[in-house]
């Protein structure tokens, strides 16, 4: 399984500020630098590594395919609040040699390739969060129909049912935007703004829905024998990965107002 290695300790939302470098050498390139908060860092076989091959900014970034068993590669897995299955961590490259044919695309053209992939992935991330949230709400509906307080089921109380109904509506809307994004991607049409909408709404609204489901289950929802805690922690993590809500709103605003902003 491959990883995508873009983020660095000093370059997260400002992805074009990466400093990991690749220098030409006989028969290939030498890569040096550190990538941080990389999904699958702990067990990926290889990584698509974004590095600086030219000047500052997005125009000087290239992409390389790097097998992670290559000499000079070291990696570690972070301890975190959630997302244990993705083995998020760091990958350090110490003069790692990659052959010339491991360059992906053209020299200094890797950033545009990465952003295209991110636009697609943002919709996929949104859908994964929305799926966890819908499951949580479905479980809450079942619970509210069977749990009785003061002689009546919870589902007879509007204070309960309207919360669930609101989250269902918002999740349905967020899912529709994600589907629109993927439809545009299949048509090779521009979908950056739609992807940003998906990445903002999907994780944020899903986290709210799961939190509500946990709370409506009372103390049983707070226990680890149910799955709300794991879902909530994982979805909160996905509010960060591939672009925070603040960056997504900046992308949407850039499209609406035609004002250049950093991604």
């Amino acid at each position: 399984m491959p990883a995508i290695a873009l983020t660095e300790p000093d370059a997260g939302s400002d992805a074009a500020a990466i400093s990991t470098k690749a220098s030409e050498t006989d028969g290939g390139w030498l890569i040096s630098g550190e990538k941080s908060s990389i999904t699958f860092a702990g067990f990926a076989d290889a990584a698509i590594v974004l590095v600086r091959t030219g000047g500052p900014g997005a125009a000087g970034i290239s992409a390389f395919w790097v097998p992670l068993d290559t000499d000079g590669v070291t990696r570690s897995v972070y301890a975190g609040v959630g997302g244990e299955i993705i083995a998020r961590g760091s990958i350090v490259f110490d003069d790692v040699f990659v052959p010339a044919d491991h360059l992906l695309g053209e020299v200094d053209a890797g950033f545009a390739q990465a952003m295209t992939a991110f636009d697609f992935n943002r919709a996929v991330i949104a859908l994964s969060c929305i799926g966890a949230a819908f499951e949580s709400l479905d479980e809450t509906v079942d619970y509210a129909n069977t749990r009785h307080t003061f002689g009546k089921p919870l589902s007879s109380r509007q204070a309960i049912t309207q919360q669930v109904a609101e989250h269902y509506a918002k999740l349905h809307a967020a899912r529709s935007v994600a589907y629109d994004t993927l439809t545009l991607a299949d048509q090779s049409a521009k979908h950056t703004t739609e992807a940003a909408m998906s990445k903002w709404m999907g994780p944020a609204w899903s986290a709210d829905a799961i939190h509500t489901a946990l709370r409506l289950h009372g103390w049983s929802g707070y226990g680890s024998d149910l799955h709300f805690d794991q879902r909530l922690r994982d979805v909160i993590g996905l509010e960060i990965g591939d672009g925070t809500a603040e960056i997504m709103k900046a992308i949407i605003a850039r499209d609406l107002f035609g004002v250049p902003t950093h991604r």
Side-chain angles (χ1 to χ4, degrees):
M1 176 178 287
I4 298 178
L6 173 60
T7 302
E8 297 181 4
D10 294 320
S13 295
D14 186 5
I18 63 171
S19 60
T20 297
K21 295 182 179 180
S23 304
E24 282 194 88
T25 188
D26 290 341
W29 301 75
L30 291 175
I31 297 176
S32 292
E34 179 182 355
K35 296 296 182 179
S36 60
S37 196
I38 304 303
T39 299
F40 306 142
F43 56 75
D45 300 313
I48 298 171
V49 185
L50 281 297
V51 300
R52 188 157 303 285
T53 49
I61 294 173
S62 301
F64 289 88
W65 178 264
V66 183
L68 294 180
D69 59 356
T70 305
D71 291 341
V73 175
T74 57
R75 43 186 168 167
S76 60
V77 175
Y78 301 153
V81 173
E84 298 297 328
I85 195 171
I86 67 173
R88 184 176 63 91
S90 67
I91 308 174
V92 177
F93 303 89
D94 184 9
D95 281 340
V96 174
F97 175 79
V98 291
D101 62 4
H102 282 42
L103 173 68
L104 302 176
E106 301 294 326
V107 173
D108 295 342
F111 192 78
Q113 294 172 304
M115 291 303 102
T116 298
F118 278 125
D119 285 343
F120 180 88
N121 199 44
R122 283 166 178 162
V124 174
I125 287 174
L127 289 171
S128 68
C129 295
I130 291 166
F134 268 131
E135 182 71 13
S136 299
L137 292 181
D138 287 343
E139 292 168 357
T140 303
V141 169
D142 290 341
Y143 176 78
N145 280 331
T146 57
R147 172 71 170 176
H148 285 69
T149 60
F150 306 103
K152 294 182 178 181
L154 288 179
S155 59
S156 68
R157 308 181 188 283
Q158 287 188 349
I160 302 296
T161 58
Q162 289 190 2
Q163 290 186 69
V164 176
E166 178 179 343
H167 286 301
Y168 258 100
K170 293 173 73 173
L171 291 175
H172 181 79
R175 183 173 60 184
S176 295
V177 174
Y179 286 164
D180 286 346
T181 303
L182 296 178
T183 298
L184 290 170
D186 284 344
Q187 296 169 349
S188 298
K190 184 178 179 294
H191 55 283
T192 297
T193 299
E194 290 79 8
M197 293 176 182
S198 295
K199 181 57 178 60
W200 160 43
M201 294 186 298
W205 292 357
S206 295
D208 288 345
I210 296 168
H211 186 193
T212 296
L214 183 157
R215 190 180 66 250
L216 293 180
H217 274 74
W219 280 113
S220 63
Y222 195 63
S224 58
D225 52 331
L226 299 181
H227 302 292
F228 301 121
D229 67 322
Q230 174 259 317
R231 293 172 189 160
L232 183 58
R233 287 183 284 110
D234 289 352
V235 166
I236 288 172
L238 291 174
E239 289 189 88
I240 301 170
D242 277 25
T244 62
E246 291 74 20
I247 294 298
M248 296 302 103
K249 292 175 186 179
I251 292 171
I252 298 166
R254 178 188 62 195
D255 187 44
L256 288 174
F257 294 96
V259 178
T261 69
H262 294 295
R263 295 182 71 103

